[in-house]
Amino acid sequence: MKSIENVIHINKKQLVISLACLVVVFFMAYGYLVNALIINIVQRESLEHEMGELIAQVGELEREYGALRSYITYQKAYILGFNEPRNQVFASQRQLVGNLGIE
């Protein structure tokens, strides 16, 4: 009888230790996930701030473009030295490999 009580006592002790370890693992995982969440929130706010700055820069560039667009005319361009090209050459993509279809 004594040996069965020892086995039950040892099993209870192992169960308590296992559950304690499991609780510690859960708390560590919870801490890790909360930390990752906070880091993601901070990064998102930083990106939103940067995006706002870029949108402001785009607006400034569009305003400058509008001002320059109304300033430059064909007559002004010819005065500044613009010449129409005689031979217009367009970029094209050559096919490096012929038809690979099986006939």
Side-chain angles (χ1 to χ4, degrees):
M1 247 345 200
K2 199 74 157 156
S3 65
I4 293 176
E5 290 177 5
N6 286 340
V7 170
I8 292 174
H9 179 68
I10 290 173
N11 286 342
K12 284 182 183 179
K13 188 175 181 181
Q14 287 177 346
L15 181 63
V16 169
I17 291 172
S18 298
L19 289 176
C21 290
L22 188 61
V23 167
V24 168
V25 168
F26 280 138
F27 276 122
M28 289 176 66
Y30 177 76
Y32 172 77
L33 292 175
V34 168
N35 184 33
L37 178 68
I38 291 171
I39 289 173
N40 286 337
I41 289 171
V42 169
Q43 286 178 347
R44 187 192 71 207
E45 289 177 358
S46 173
L47 288 174
E48 286 175 354
H49 177 71
E50 185 179 342
M51 190 171 67
E53 291 176 354
L54 290 174
I55 288 172
Q57 287 178 357
V58 167
E60 179 69 22
L61 290 173
E62 286 177 347
R63 186 188 62 75
E64 288 179 26
Y65 169 74
L68 291 174
R69 183 177 176 195
S70 63
Y71 173 73
I72 302 240
T73 61
Y74 275 111
Q75 293 153 347
K76 187 102 170 160
Y78 287 125
I79 291 171
L80 293 173
F82 174 74
N83 295 321
E84 289 282 341
R86 290 193 176 94
N87 295 327
Q88 292 184 355
V89 178
F90 296 98
S92 66
Q93 184 177 9
R94 293 187 307 168
Q95 187 174 2
L96 297 176
V97 178
N99 188 3
L100 296 176
I102 298 175
E103 296 179 21

